């Protein structure tokens, strides 16, 4: 399986109202390539079925999004995820993939 396809498969497990991180996805693939995870998600052909908007930086910041940060925030808020200062509370919304 291609790396990007593995990323999409794992990302599709993140439930509505939760977020995970680029690093968490990399760890679940037994690697440290969190930037490669971000690159794969930037080219996600399966959105919104594969919810790449639910993947954020490990420090809780929103991170990038192909359609722009404002669009990502809008999608997360639609799922009732509270965002303060472009940051998500990982203690409240984090979804562990392992």
């Amino acid at each position: 399986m291609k790396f990007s396809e593995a990323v999409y498969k794992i990302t599709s497990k993140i439930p509505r109202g939760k977020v995970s991180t680029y690093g968490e996805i990399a760890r679940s693939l037994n690697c440290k390539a969190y930037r490669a995870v971000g690159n794969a998600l930037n080219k996600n052909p399966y959105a919104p079925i594969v919810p790449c908007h639910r993947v954020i930086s490990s420090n809780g910041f929103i991170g990038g999004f192909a359609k722009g940060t404002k669009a990502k925030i809008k999608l997360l808020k639609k799922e009732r995820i509270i965002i303060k200062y472009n940051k998500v509370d990982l203690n409240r919304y984090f979804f562990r993939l392992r």
Side-chain angles (χ1 to χ4, degrees):
M1 178 183 298
K2 276 178 63 177
F3 180 80
S4 57
E5 293 298 322
V7 169
Y8 303 145
K9 184 176 180 179
I10 288 171
T11 302
S12 67
K13 296 178 181 181
I14 305 168
R16 182 176 176 82
K18 293 289 183 180
V19 296
S20 196
T21 65
Y22 302 103
E24 177 70 9
I25 291 171
R27 279 188 293 280
S28 69
L29 293 171
N30 296 314
C31 71
K32 295 180 181 180
Y34 62 90
R35 287 183 183 213
V37 169
N39 287 331
L41 292 175
N42 186 48
K43 296 169 180 67
N44 176 10
Y46 307 111
I49 297 165
V50 174
C52 54
H53 66 280
R54 295 180 189 150
V55 183
I56 63 171
S57 298
S58 59
N59 59 7
F61 281 102
I62 297 300
F65 192 57
K67 295 181 180 178
T69 305
K70 286 183 182 180
K72 187 173 188 174
I73 289 170
K74 185 176 180 181
L75 288 167
L76 292 172
K77 284 183 174 182
K78 192 174 181 182
E79 295 184 13
R80 298 181 187 232
I81 294 173
I82 297 169
I83 299 162
K84 288 186 178 177
Y85 308 109
N86 284 334
K87 205 168 181 184
V88 173
D89 181 355
L90 290 174
N91 290 322
R92 183 173 181 182
Y93 298 106
F94 184 71
F95 182 75
R96 187 169 304 281
L97 291 161
R98 294 175 267 146

